[in-house]
Amino acid sequence: RVSVYNMFGSLIADLSDRFISGGHYETGWDGKNSAGEKVSPGVYFYSIRAGKSERSGKMVLMPR
């Protein structure tokens, strides 16, 4: 599962929530929430969960 959260910890979007076999994968975020609306530029957090493993980090959405 790959998810994006705002600074308050609210879920913005689930980018991937399905079973994928082991390997190297990439995903992107178009700056939209789960309803398809553009979100404001700023700091967001991502979470990647695979089985019992979890990684998270920070990213910045820049204005276009």
Side-chain angles (χ1 to χ4, degrees):
R1 175 179 238 178
V2 180
S3 305
V4 177
Y5 299 88
N6 65 17
M7 291 186 61
F8 303 105
S10 298
L11 178 66
I12 298 298
D14 272 325
L15 305 180
S16 177
D17 187 13
R18 60 189 172 96
F19 177 80
I20 302 174
S21 60
H24 178 84
Y25 298 92
E26 293 182 23
T27 190
W29 179 45
D30 59 4
K32 296 179 181 177
N33 62 20
S34 295
E37 304 163 330
K38 287 186 178 183
V39 299
S40 300
V43 176
Y44 292 87
F45 298 89
Y46 64 85
S47 172
I48 302 170
R49 292 183 208 130
K52 296 180 182 178
S53 299
E54 182 174 350
R55 295 276 177 143
S56 58
K58 182 170 41 172
M59 60 185 168
V60 177
L61 180 62
M62 303 292 289
R64 283 191 151 188

